[in-house]
Amino acid sequence: MVNIGNISLPDFPLLLAPMEDVSDPPFRAVCKDNGADLMYTEFISSEGLIRDAIKSRRKLDIFDYERPIGIQIFGGDEDSLAMAARIVDVTQPDLLDINFGCPVKKVALKGAGAGVLKDIDLMVRLTDAVVRSTSLPVTVKTRLGWDDSMLNIEEVAERLQDVGIKALAIHGRTRCQMYKGEADWTLIGKVKNNPRIRIPIFGNGDIDSPQKALEYKNRYGVDGIMIGRAAIGYPWIFREIKHFVQTGTVLPPPTVEERVNVVRKHLQKSVEWKGAIVGINEMRRHYANYLKGLPNIKEYRSKLVRLTEEAPIREVLDEIIEKYSGLEMQATPIELINYHEKCPVN
């Protein structure tokens, strides 16, 4: 078992990463169905929570079937983060996570997210303020450092543990790398194997297959793996990794029926949570990812993104099952979707 404060997770847990505009309740629901052991909300601005901003408050929505679940906040001011932590406390998630890893310009260059990696003393003060303001277990997600000249994750891990965090998730890139190049897990392994470190260490970055997950588990000794981009359009990655770790065999890819059923559930949850207009509009970006690999699927995708009512969409999904019933899906590489690609680095 892996323990985060009073939360008990199975051996080598799989975590769904918090992703802005992705990790909402509808998406989390299908990931939970497919084996995610611990999930996080989209990150929430501490300033937005304090201002009672509608979008920020809406991100606090969590449901019992999602547990254990963490709410993630970000900010660069001690008082604001402490007040946000007290607001989060009232919603009773299982843990509270601080984002010190978001690399996008609008966050990092305003002294929050990965921007705090340039000032470790500030990071420690911010974390300490949150720990003191909540009864929840506090965890942190961060990166290796700001750039290659500031790879300070080992110091970060020790000092944040000293002020009371209960787990640390590390993305194997610097802020300046964004999502480019290959994630470097070497320093993640050093943190995990540091004799001073007692808290669980979760690795994150480029896990796109069961084989890589097991290889990195064995090579770096991490307590678990956090999966982000690889789960977009492919929540089955959680069950595939679990099966491979336990048995050494590879599960067949999801059938057409399984793919369409996940689309149906995602659509249902999206409409329930966001309302018909927004829920249907925001589902449009998901169809291509879920249906990738089906031959000549473009015609159906085009129909799905043009429809504005739920019933006709479900009829098209029924047509897809009828057309492709019995088709044996081929295993294809999982695409690591660059969902923040539109955000400039500098």
Side-chain angles (χ1 to χ4, degrees):
M1 301 289 285
V2 174
N3 295 315
I4 302 176
N6 58 356
I7 303 168
S8 293
L9 300 174
D11 185 49
F12 196 63
L14 303 180
L15 287 60
L16 173 64
M19 295 177 282
E20 175 70 354
D21 294 328
V22 177
S23 301
D24 57 13
F27 179 71
R28 297 198 303 262
V30 298
C31 289
K32 185 70 175 182
D33 285 347
N34 284 280
D37 295 304
L38 173 63
M39 304 187 296
Y40 297 84
T41 62
E42 302 169 79
F43 69 1
I44 305 172
S45 162
S46 58
E47 301 288 348
L49 278 182
I50 295 167
R51 290 195 311 269
D52 203 22
I54 293 174
K55 184 176 181 181
S56 295
R57 289 278 180 165
R58 190 136 174 83
K59 290 179 182 178
L60 291 174
D61 286 354
I62 56 175
F63 302 90
D64 282 341
Y65 64 79
E66 298 182 288
R67 295 189 184 276
I69 185 163
I71 288 177
Q72 188 187 72
I73 59 176
F74 74 94
D77 176 77
E78 293 170 57
D79 292 337
S80 296
L81 270 179
M83 190 175 297
R86 289 191 285 271
I87 295 171
V88 168
D89 220 28
V90 176
T91 67
Q92 298 183 325
D94 298 286
L95 60 84
L96 192 160
D97 189 75
I98 310 172
N99 182 311
F100 290 139
C102 179
V104 302
K105 180 178 180 180
K106 65 181 181 180
V107 175
L109 297 190
K110 292 182 179 179
V116 185
L117 284 164
K118 292 194 287 186
D119 187 343
I120 305 307
D121 290 339
L122 173 61
M123 182 187 285
V124 172
R125 292 197 304 273
L126 293 171
T127 304
D128 185 55
V130 171
V131 170
R132 292 174 181 273
S133 300
T134 180
S135 59
L136 297 166
V138 174
T139 62
V140 164
K141 183 174 189 288
T142 189
R143 289 181 168 234
L144 301 179
W146 176 259
D147 58 25
D148 287 341
S149 69
M150 299 177 68
L151 298 175
N152 44 26
I153 188 60
E154 291 183 85
E155 177 189 354
V156 165
E158 291 184 0
R159 294 184 66 183
L160 296 190
Q161 176 181 262
D162 289 345
V163 295
I165 71 167
K166 302 302 182 184
L168 178 65
I170 306 169
H171 182 91
R173 289 182 174 86
T174 64
R175 184 271 162 179
C176 288
Q177 282 182 273
M178 293 287 283
Y179 296 97
K180 298 175 182 177
E182 186 175 345
D184 180 3
W185 282 57
T186 306
L187 283 175
I188 301 176
K190 285 184 178 179
V191 171
K192 172 56 195 171
N193 293 294
N194 180 339
R196 273 209 61 203
I197 296 298
R198 303 176 304 277
I199 58 175
I201 301 297
F202 303 116
N204 172 235
D206 295 355
I207 297 298
D208 57 3
S209 70
Q211 294 88 341
K212 182 179 281 188
L214 182 58
E215 176 190 350
Y216 281 27
K217 172 184 184 291
N218 293 335
R219 182 186 299 178
Y220 301 107
V222 291
D223 294 286
I225 285 177
M226 179 177 279
I227 297 167
R229 295 176 295 153
I232 300 175
Y234 204 85
W236 304 279
I237 190 170
F238 296 102
R239 74 175 189 188
E240 290 180 359
I241 290 174
K242 286 188 169 186
H243 183 82
F244 188 75
V245 169
Q246 291 167 4
T247 70
T249 61
V250 178
L251 280 175
T255 64
V256 175
E257 290 79 5
E258 287 176 305
R259 289 174 181 266
V260 172
N261 284 338
V262 164
V263 175
R264 284 173 173 153
K265 180 160 186 175
H266 197 156
L267 172 65
Q268 173 197 338
K269 293 289 186 183
S270 188
V271 169
E272 288 175 355
W273 188 61
K274 302 173 184 177
I277 295 175
V278 176
I280 288 170
N281 286 344
E282 292 194 358
M283 270 302 295
R284 290 172 177 167
R285 65 184 182 217
H286 294 289
Y287 296 128
N289 296 322
Y290 280 128
L291 302 174
K292 182 184 176 185
L294 292 177
N296 304 312
I297 194 65
K298 184 177 179 180
E299 173 191 350
Y300 291 102
R301 274 205 325 262
S302 297
K303 287 183 183 179
L304 289 169
V305 298
R306 289 197 305 267
L307 292 169
T308 57
E309 295 182 1
E310 188 176 357
I313 292 173
R314 292 189 176 278
E315 289 175 7
V316 173
L317 295 175
D318 290 340
E319 287 179 32
I320 292 173
I321 284 189
E322 184 176 351
K323 177 178 176 64
Y324 294 99
S325 180
L327 175 71
E328 290 191 12
M329 296 296 298
Q330 300 298 312
T332 56
I334 296 172
E335 181 181 358
L336 295 176
I337 296 169
N338 291 317
Y339 67 100
H340 273 144
E341 205 168 43
K342 63 181 181 291
C343 301
V345 177
N346 297 313

